[in-house]
Each structure stands twice: as C-alpha cells, then as structure tokens.
Amino acid sequence: MSYEFTDGFKIRNQEATHFLTFTVEGWIDIFSRQCYRDMIIESFNFCREKKGLQIGAYVIMTNHIHCIWTAKENNLSDIIRDFKTFTSKQIALAIQQGPESRKEWLMHMLAYFAKGTNGNKYTKLWKSGNHPEEISSKEFLLQKLNYIHENPVRASIVSNAADYIYSSASNYAGMKGILNIDFLF
C-alpha cells in the first residue's frame, strides 16, 4: 500500500515552524552517495543565507529527509518548492554527467516518475507533498526533534545519533555540525 502525503497535511500558516519530510520517488536510495547528500547541504545553506530559511533540525537518510523549518519571511511553501525544484534538477544533472555506476537505471527511474506530471517532463526526484506538521507545542517539538535525530540509530547506521554527520544531532550535542542550524531552544 502506498501512502501519499496529501489532504490533511498542508501548510496553513506560512510563518509557523513545521516538521517536514521530503521523500525520494520510489524510495530510491539516492543519498547513499555522499556527493548527493552534499548537494542537499549546499542547498540548505543557500536557503538559509539567501531565502531566510531557518533550519531547526534535519537528517538526510538514504531516501528521505526530515527537517524542522521556519521561514523568516512567511514564505515556507515557496522555499520548499524552490528547494525541491533546484535539488531535483541539480541531482539529475550530476547523475547524467558524473561517474555514477547506477546512471542508466537512475535516469530511467527518474524519467519513469516524471511521466504524467505537470512539472519537469524528463525527471522527477521528489514525491509530491512534504507531509508538513505544524509544531504546536514544546512537547511536540521535542518528539519530532528526537524522531529526526534517532532516525540513523533506528536504521543501524550509527549507534549514537550525534555520530551521524548528515544530521543536526551533533549540533544539539554541543559539537560542530557540517551545517549551521537555528537552534530551536
């Protein structure tokens, strides 16, 4: 059974802090490669520096990203759209031009998921939607923050959340992470 993030999950308050999930089409393990994870980090940095995005927490798993975001200029949906559009195009181009052993299969899959969409006719990396959940209390915030940081532990990638490089867990543990974040408390 496929679960689509639609209907009840919409960003209704553009200035509120939200827990978000960005899922790769077909749950393809695109982020098993460091170069693609680094592209996400670069895009996060750009959105923080140029678009007013506040990144309270994040984790980049092999086929999805969880994050807690707020938009300084009350335009969270616009930032999400731009982030997903840019990273989709950038990663597809990197697959085409780079030394990717899965190039043929990945491009076939990205083309397959693009069929019948109104967006890019050639490739589609991200599932539609982002399953936004407005952070409504400190308890809910702590629950989502823990969920994000424990993802790599649950996936048996690391035994200690702060050891996973592509997560804000190290920032919250008082260490220097690979991305500056906007602490939630």
Side-chain angles (χ1 to χ4, degrees), residues 50-70:
K50 305 293 186 193
K51 293 184 172 278
L53 176 66
Q54 294 180 306
I55 300 173
Y58 72 95
V59 65
I60 304 170
M61 299 299 290
T62 60
N63 53 25
H64 67 283
I65 297 169
H66 293 299
C67 51
I68 297 176
W69 283 4
T70 310

Side-chain angles (χ1 to χ4, degrees), residues 143-154:
Q143 174 192 1
K144 292 303 182 183
L145 187 62
N146 184 58
Y147 180 81
I148 287 171
H149 292 160
E150 290 298 318
N151 237 236
V153 175
R154 285 190 302 277

